[in-house]
Amino acid sequence: QVQLVESGGGSVQAGGSLNLSCTYSEYTPASNCVGWIRQAPGKEREGVAAIYTGGGSTYYADSVKGRFTISQNYAKNTVYLQMNSLKPEDTAMYYCAAAWTHVPIVAAVITDPPKYQGQGTQVTVSS
């Protein structure tokens, strides 16, 4: 069992930045990979980014590449999502998620969703 707690959401104008944080309860196989998924009202869930907590490899959805950066502080069991050049279409509830690989988080969030996720934090980008 992995507990995930997000923080850092808020409202920002287009072009602005936000930094999300996710603290996970412990390093286990279940938190081998930690990342972010999002869901906008009326839309399907979308994988955003993931990082392997042991090795540091990162993966991104095409829609956020070059704008979002995922990183971690391994000693603090915390993963960050730095979001720059935000667009109105980035508006969504962002959920921290944990899995053995990046696939359920970034590539197959609909068909093979991550087993663990947090309560979510709202990100709103106005035009």
Side-chain angles (χ1 to χ4, degrees):
Q1 193 86 10
V2 177
Q3 281 78 48
L4 305 162
V5 179
E6 307 100 332
S7 63
S11 298
V12 66
Q13 289 191 326
S17 299
L18 283 172
N19 190 45
L20 305 183
S21 298
C22 170
T23 299
Y24 54 97
S25 54
E26 59 181 333
Y27 178 76
T28 71
S31 58
N32 183 57
C33 192
V34 176
W36 299 87
I37 58 178
R38 66 186 182 184
Q39 187 166 21
K43 294 188 177 181
E44 288 188 332
R45 288 193 166 196
E46 177 188 17
V48 177
I51 185 168
Y52 282 89
T53 53
S57 297
T58 58
Y59 294 82
Y60 296 92
D62 288 342
S63 59
V64 305
K65 281 181 181 176
R67 301 189 298 122
F68 291 10
T69 302
I70 191 168
S71 62
Q72 67 169 338
N73 184 324
Y74 185 78
K76 294 185 177 180
N77 287 2
T78 300
V79 171
Y80 306 97
L81 185 68
Q82 177 65 40
M83 305 184 293
N84 298 328
S85 301
L86 282 162
K87 305 175 181 179
E89 50 264 44
D90 293 317
T91 295
M93 185 71 79
Y94 283 69
Y95 299 91
C96 184
W100 172 243
T101 76
H102 69 281
V103 174
I105 299 171
V106 180
V109 65
I110 301 297
T111 56
D112 182 21
K115 187 174 181 179
Y116 301 102
Q117 69 175 50
Q119 294 298 309
T121 185
Q122 179 67 38
V123 170
T124 302
V125 184
S126 58
S127 57

